[in-house]
Amino acid sequence: DTARLFILFAAPPERDLEWSDTAVEGSYRFLNRVFKFVTDNKDKIDFNSKYDVSSLTSEDKELRYVLNYSIKKATDDISIRFNFNTAISCVMELVNALYAYNGSNNALISEAAKDLIIMLAPFVPHITEELWEIIGGEGSVHEQKWVSYDEKALVKDETEIVVQINGKVKDKMMISTGLSDDEIKAAALENDKIKELTEGKQVLKVIVVKGKLVNIVVK
């Protein structure tokens, strides 16, 4: 499994593979992290557990976002683009998110762990089969239906944007998703740090790049 993961992650199919002992060790460490997470949390995993979306905490929502984003990207990378290396990369990001998660929603942990194992199964068939048995999965993991994602989970309540003055980054701020350009401009101009930096200066224009940045042009 370590060799398979390294080969698939190291380069896309159309490129030559350069062997790297360091990268092989990295693949081995990653699989150990996956194994440790699943076995450490096996008592929390329940195939019948469900969670109420309306009662999710901010930590829960962030993990749910990463989970659904990983499923969407891995699915597209495998079935459309045949980019196995990037599919594996986004699954690695999911594992990082699972380790960073400090919440206590066992139903969400259950969903993430089950989906993680299924997503990894095409790449590392042996360890995923063992993990599937450990969490009480029925039959073989390779006979399971492929995971699906929820589009609604990919819409964040808040987005981090960069605030620039004359093209130079001065601050970052969280804004509610769905604000109009005028509301985003107003929020940026009311930011305490930005107010201090623009005090006594003339604001010529404010440029909004939706979901990414606000650039305030002053003289």
Side-chain angles (χ1 to χ4, degrees), residues 46-165:
D46 180 357
F47 278 72
N48 297 314
S49 61
K50 303 290 182 184
Y51 54 84
D52 182 0
V53 174
S54 64
S55 64
L56 296 179
T57 66
S58 58
E59 279 239 14
D60 296 340
K61 289 178 181 178
E62 181 60 27
L63 176 58
R64 185 167 177 260
Y65 171 83
V66 176
L67 171 61
N68 282 271
Y69 173 80
S70 298
I71 293 172
K72 177 177 171 56
K73 189 169 191 324
T75 301
D76 291 346
D77 284 346
I78 294 169
S79 62
I80 300 173
R81 292 182 283 271
F82 299 104
N83 288 346
F84 306 128
N85 56 325
T86 54
I88 294 168
S89 179
C90 72
V91 176
M92 289 178 171
E93 291 175 12
L94 171 59
V95 173
N96 288 338
L98 285 167
Y99 270 96
Y101 176 66
N102 291 317
S104 56
N105 191 323
N106 288 348
L108 180 58
I109 293 172
S110 295
E111 180 182 68
K114 289 181 289 184
D115 289 353
L116 169 64
I117 294 170
I118 292 173
M119 277 193 287
L120 278 174
F123 309 116
V124 286
H126 304 292
I127 190 173
T128 49
E129 187 79 318
E130 182 175 353
L131 290 174
W132 188 252
E133 182 178 343
I134 286 172
I135 67 172
E138 293 184 3
S140 168
V141 67
H142 305 295
E143 297 172 341
Q144 304 308 309
K145 183 179 178 181
W146 185 249
V147 289
S148 60
Y149 60 91
D150 183 352
E151 286 282 3
K152 294 179 180 177
L154 299 176
V155 180
K156 289 191 171 184
D157 294 335
E158 290 188 318
T159 305
E160 184 180 66
I161 63 168
V162 168
V163 184
Q164 300 175 337
I165 296 178

Side-chain angles (χ1 to χ4, degrees), residues 165 170-171 192-201 218:
I165 296 178
K170 298 299 181 182
D171 202 4
D192 289 340
K193 186 173 181 180
I194 300 304
K195 284 172 72 174
E196 181 182 336
L197 293 172
T198 57
E199 186 177 0
K201 297 178 181 178
V218 301

